Amino acid sequence: VPIGQWVLDTACTAAKKWQDIGLPKIRICVNISARQFHADNFVSTIKNAIEMSKLDPKWLELEITEGMVIENTDSVVTKLNQLKALGVFLSIDDFGTGYSSLAYLKRFPVDNLKIDQSFIRNIHEDHDDSAITDAVIRLGHSLGLTIVGEGVETEEHVKILTEKGCDIFQGYHFCRPIAFDDFVEFQKDQQKNIL
């Protein structure tokens, strides 16, 4: 829990610093552990991180996994609604690898579905991975959700996911993990390329 709190605080502070130095405003995603999420004070810790960093909540995205929300769904729905009321975005991470209950998608106020990289990795040669990915994209879109493809590592992945209608791509094809200062330069270069 303390490490999770440090990650959350650091991410919010970094996102605000990047905005303050003139980088494009981007949503920062933070993976939340089950222990963090189920703590009684979880919503207040999110609120405190936002207030401390002065980050507009719409630029924070919390990623939860299916396994974290399978029990005590009434309590989970209440907590997710409280988070949405703060203005943060919510994503179901690694979708398709846990307890994929379609009832959860209907009840939970989430914004994004993130397709697990295990389905993306061999999408170009595995019919089942391709079919599952296609089904998740169609399902998510029919529910008004944004679909994120995780583990995008090749141009072929990009091409296939684009054809299937995936909204956002995430993975090493675009950038590997980099240090804070290197990220600033990376964003500046990206901005030049767009202009």
Side-chain angles (χ1 to χ4, degrees):
V1 171
I3 290 172
Q5 187 63 49
W6 176 84
V7 169
L8 178 66
D9 292 341
T10 302
C12 290
T13 300
K16 181 66 170 128
K17 280 183 184 176
W18 291 327
Q19 290 178 7
D20 289 347
I21 62 172
L23 293 181
K25 292 183 177 181
I26 57 171
R27 194 169 295 121
I28 192 152
C29 304
V30 178
N31 289 85
I32 301 300
S33 73
R35 183 172 281 176
Q36 270 180 293
F37 182 80
H38 291 295
D40 291 337
N41 66 340
F42 178 64
V43 175
S44 63
T45 63
I46 298 297
K47 187 176 181 183
N48 290 341
I50 291 167
E51 290 174 353
M52 181 191 72
S53 65
K54 297 181 175 53
L55 180 68
D56 185 326
K58 71 181 179 185
W59 300 114
L60 175 62
E61 182 176 324
L62 303 177
E63 298 183 2
I64 58 175
T65 61
E66 296 165 286
M68 290 167 47
V69 294
I70 60 169
E71 294 177 8
N72 199 0
T73 54
D74 289 339
S75 170
V76 168
V77 169
T78 299
K79 195 170 282 191
L80 292 175
N81 281 326
Q82 291 171 339
L83 292 167
K84 287 301 295 176
L86 290 177
V88 300
F89 273 63
L90 299 172
S91 289
I92 300 279
D93 196 19
D94 302 334
F95 186 75
T97 60
Y99 306 91
S100 304
S101 169
L102 302 183
Y104 296 155
L105 292 181
K106 190 171 102 170
R107 289 190 67 196
F108 295 161
V110 297
D111 303 287
N112 301 333
L113 278 186
K114 301 188 85 173
I115 304 171
D116 188 69
Q117 64 182 338
S118 63
F119 300 114
I120 306 294
R121 186 176 300 117
N122 295 315
I123 195 171
H124 56 290
E125 58 189 15
D126 187 310
H127 174 74
D128 292 340
D129 286 345
S130 180
I132 289 169
T133 301
D134 192 53
V136 171
I137 291 170
R138 289 173 189 262
L139 172 68
H141 283 164
S142 69
L143 294 171
L145 302 174
T146 299
I147 308 302
V148 180
E150 296 183 298
V152 177
E153 297 187 354
T154 68
E155 191 59 42
E156 192 169 14
H157 288 159
V158 173
K159 181 178 182 287
I160 293 168
L161 290 169
T162 299
E163 290 170 356
K164 291 181 178 298
C166 188
D167 302 301
I168 298 173
F169 308 124
Q170 173 186 325
Y172 287 173
H173 178 68
F174 305 101
C175 186
R176 292 188 174 269
I178 54 179
F180 183 93
D181 292 336
D182 294 335
F183 180 77
V184 170
E185 292 307 311
F186 173 79
Q187 279 291 82
K188 287 179 180 176
D189 288 343
Q190 293 299 307
Q191 201 170 6
K192 286 178 197 170
N193 291 338
I194 291 170
L195 301 174

